[in-house]
Amino acid sequence: MRAGEHEQMMFPELDDVSVRVYREAVRRGKFIPATIAERLGLDPPAIARAERVLSALRLIRPMPGCPEVLVPVGPDAAASGLVAPAENQIRDLQSAVTEVRTQIMALAPAYFEDRRDRNHSEAFDVITDAAMVQPVLNEHARRCESEIMTIQPGGARPAHLLSATRGPLVEALERGVDNRTIYQHPARTDLVTRAYVSDVTKRGACVRTTQEVIDRMVIFDHEVAFVPERGVASRAAGAVVIREPALVGYLCDVFEHLWNTAVPFQPDADRAAPVDEDVKRSVIRLLAKGYKDETIARRLGMSVRTCRRHISELMDRLGTTSRFQAGVEATRMGLIDDVVADDPPAAKTDDGRHGHGALDMSA
């Protein structure tokens, strides 16, 4: 929009004095500055300013056949005459935007056809600019036809990421696209995440939680998968886009395995989710392997403070005085039977934490 067009849309403010002057003009049927000023106790500069405001807002105008006399105009007629040029500009701009979008999108079939041919030899893309990951995910969500599958490690989902992904996800759900998302159990205790999950599940999304997940992952239509970029220390990590059918199929199988062992997340049905014992078993299992509190918290997607609270409760339950003793006692009592000393730690971001990062598209 050019500067001159923008200025045409800047309207003066209708202040209290101008309103009083306008009402007095309506009562008298004419705008007579001296008479109205005397009636309202206004000085000449104030009545002059009110005249400028009312004229600019088209609430007073010259009388037909007698242009030296100003008469009041009804608000509906004034508003219609005032905003009509602005509305015309908006319509013209919308038309221009639509035309440009139509011209550009006409290239889409050729682009995707050529890209499919290119993908036979290019099974992977790397998005190194972290800021571009979410827009690319949103575009894939808009083009998705059957299902979006997502894994999101950690606990509470950041509000700004939920806001950024909600629109494209809701649009996909309204088109009939399925969505399944796996969180970790601690996400159930976050009010913002619960409210978001409640909203999208009412629209058809399915959400479950589990004890541990591998890492962040988004899969579209069982054809394209996004996973976090690794080995980046000098900048924010981006994403790796995977199109190789065998590898995407393997990642889909991994998702299905996690999904089948996860617990449905229905925030409106039961606020106290029945997963607390699962969390405690995971804590004691990792404790018995000798992991530190920080590592256990990271793997289970909870804060260190919450992790230590679980450990304290477990020690009280087992009647032990040390973390190591608690792990040994739990193993002896048969509470855990899958302790493997060389079990590798969960995948993590470059700074050692499950990052929320740029890669998202959660429920």
Side-chain angles (χ1 to χ4, degrees):
M1 183 178 294
R2 295 186 298 271
E5 294 174 339
H6 179 71
E7 291 171 359
Q8 293 178 15
M9 299 178 65
M10 300 298 293
F11 308 128
E13 181 180 357
L14 187 61
D15 57 281
D16 292 340
V17 173
S18 299
V19 171
R20 292 170 58 204
V21 171
Y22 174 73
R23 296 185 65 178
E24 188 64 25
V26 172
R27 295 190 190 99
R28 296 178 177 275
K30 296 180 181 179
F31 177 79
I32 306 174
T35 303
I36 295 178
E38 180 180 358
R39 170 69 177 171
L40 299 180
L42 300 174
D43 55 24
I47 197 73
R49 182 183 181 283
E51 180 178 350
R52 289 194 300 272
V53 171
L54 295 176
S55 296
L57 294 175
R58 303 192 182 186
L59 289 167
I60 57 174
R61 67 181 178 185
M63 178 185 294
C66 190
E68 68 276 6
V69 178
L70 297 175
V71 295
V73 177
D76 53 347
S80 177
L82 185 65
V83 303
E87 291 176 334
N88 290 336
Q89 291 176 21
I90 293 172
R91 281 194 294 269
D92 291 344
L93 185 58
Q94 289 176 330
S95 177
V97 169
T98 300
E99 182 178 355
V100 170
R101 184 185 296 276
T102 300
Q103 291 175 355
I104 293 176
M105 291 307 295
L107 297 173
Y111 170 82
F112 291 118
E113 180 179 352
D114 293 341
R115 187 58 185 261
R116 278 194 298 270
D117 293 339
R118 176 182 166 191
N119 285 344
H120 288 301
S121 59
E122 290 187 7
F124 304 89
D125 282 342
V126 179
I127 304 174
T128 57
D129 184 354
M132 288 301 300
V133 175
Q134 192 60 53
V136 174
L137 284 169
N138 292 346
E139 180 60 25
H140 276 75
R142 281 188 284 269
R143 300 205 314 259
C144 188
E145 297 179 355
S146 60
E147 184 176 25
I148 302 171
M149 300 185 297
T150 307
I151 297 175
Q152 296 292 350
R157 306 298 302 134
H160 71 280
L161 288 183
L162 294 179
S163 176
T165 61
R166 181 185 180 281
L169 179 60
V170 169
E171 291 175 5
L173 291 170
E174 290 176 346
R175 295 199 318 270
V177 175
D178 293 331
N179 170 246
R180 289 184 292 165
T181 296
I182 301 173
Y183 292 153
Q184 286 184 271
H185 289 328
R188 293 173 176 266
T189 63
D190 179 64
L191 294 179
V192 174
T193 305
R194 289 179 64 90
Y196 183 84
V197 171
S198 176
D199 179 32
V200 297
T201 52
K202 289 176 181 177
R203 300 171 185 270
C206 296
V207 183
R208 293 184 179 183
T209 65
T210 189
Q211 300 173 28
E212 296 185 61
V213 296
I214 49 172
D215 206 337
R216 203 172 311 278
M217 183 169 66
V218 185
I219 305 175
F220 297 94
D221 288 337
H222 296 247
E223 294 178 354
V224 183
F226 287 70
V227 297
E229 186 183 19
R230 297 296 186 85
V232 179
S234 59
R235 57 173 172 79
V240 178
V241 187
I242 304 170
R243 300 183 181 86
E244 204 288 316
L247 184 52
V248 173
Y250 171 79
L251 294 176
C252 290
D253 289 343
V254 170
F255 179 93
E256 294 294 349
H257 173 75
L258 291 172
W259 181 262
N260 291 334
T261 58
V263 181
F265 187 179
Q266 299 173 322
D268 294 339
D270 182 9
R271 191 163 183 80
V275 297
D276 193 55
E277 289 302 315
D278 285 344
V279 172
K280 283 183 168 56
R281 280 194 295 271
S282 296
V283 170
I284 196 66
R285 176 173 56 84
L286 296 175
L287 196 65
K289 295 177 183 178
Y291 285 106
K292 295 182 179 180
D293 298 355
E294 292 77 8
T295 303
I296 297 173
R298 183 180 66 240
R299 290 190 59 157
L300 300 182
M302 64 180 67
S303 68
V304 175
R305 181 179 178 180
T306 300
C307 176
R308 287 172 176 164
R309 176 173 57 81
H310 284 303
I311 292 173
S312 177
E313 293 173 357
L314 286 165
M315 290 172 61
D316 289 342
R317 181 187 301 181
L318 296 170
T320 58
T321 58
S322 71
R323 287 162 164 73
F324 178 77
Q325 185 183 4
V328 172
E329 183 65 12
T331 304
R332 187 189 67 79
M333 295 174 63
L335 299 179
I336 50 176
D337 55 6
D338 60 344
V339 177
V340 179
D342 59 354
D343 189 355
K348 54 189 177 183
T349 57
D350 293 325
D351 61 355
R353 294 175 292 107
H354 272 303
H356 292 295
L359 182 58
D360 213 81
M361 178 49 73
S362 64

